[in-house]
Amino acid sequence: MEHQSHPEEPLQSSKSDSTEALATVQEAAFCHAEGSEGKHVRKSHHSQEMKSNLVSRLNRVEGQIRGIKGLIEKDTYCDDVLTQIAAAQSALNSVGKLLLEGHMKSCIVERIQAGEHEVVDELLVTMRKLMK
């Protein structure tokens, strides 16, 4: 196995990225139910800025995954690959946290105010999935 002396730096978001993203979450519109061919469908309705932020972050994660694949194909030292996997997982978790925050501040609050208290159980299931 080939040893790499300097692993690629993991992609990390800056504090300003996080601060901007959190401000954007607060501007996101609310989740709502729409009738579609007689079916009730819930959709989130994020601002264009929030969508762009999330898509940009996901594009970076996608690039990290392609990079990890390349490292494996080049027989890069295992510890270096694992470091890159941890960085990609962290970046993806960051996207999940942003979505969860927006969901809690809009959709969950809105549904509780509408008397749909079962949404709390739905939220707990979702949080368990994210915390695995």
Side-chain angles (χ1 to χ4, degrees):
M1 181 180 280
E2 179 183 305
H3 293 278
Q4 183 177 350
S5 59
H6 299 290
E8 295 177 32
E9 290 295 314
L11 180 63
Q12 297 176 349
S13 61
S14 68
K15 268 193 167 184
S16 63
D17 283 349
S18 297
T19 304
E20 288 175 19
L22 292 177
T24 305
V25 166
Q26 295 169 353
E27 296 170 7
F30 301 108
C31 300
H32 53 89
E34 286 186 356
S36 173
E37 298 178 17
K39 296 180 182 178
H40 238 60
V41 178
R42 293 205 180 273
K43 290 187 172 189
S44 63
H45 198 80
H46 301 288
S47 69
Q48 194 56 45
E49 185 179 357
M50 177 61 142
K51 284 183 192 180
S52 295
N53 184 341
L54 293 171
V55 168
S56 175
R57 286 170 179 263
L58 289 170
N59 285 339
R60 281 185 253 153
V61 171
E62 186 178 21
Q64 285 177 298
I65 300 301
R66 281 193 304 271
I68 292 167
K69 181 180 173 187
L71 293 175
I72 290 170
E73 289 170 345
K74 293 187 289 188
D75 294 323
T76 302
Y77 184 58
C78 299
D79 190 60
D80 297 339
V81 176
L82 291 168
T83 298
Q84 294 306 312
I85 289 171
Q89 287 173 328
S90 177
L92 193 54
N93 286 340
S94 177
V95 172
K97 287 174 189 175
L98 287 172
L99 280 172
L100 180 61
E101 182 177 346
H103 183 57
M104 290 174 72
K105 287 182 175 180
S106 60
C107 305
I108 300 299
V109 169
E110 199 176 77
R111 289 182 63 193
I112 288 173
Q113 288 172 344
E116 298 178 44
H117 297 282
E118 67 275 5
V119 73
V120 174
D121 291 328
E122 178 186 293
L123 175 62
L124 291 172
V125 169
T126 299
M127 289 181 70
R128 281 187 206 110
K129 289 176 186 176
L130 284 172
M131 296 175 125
K132 281 187 177 181

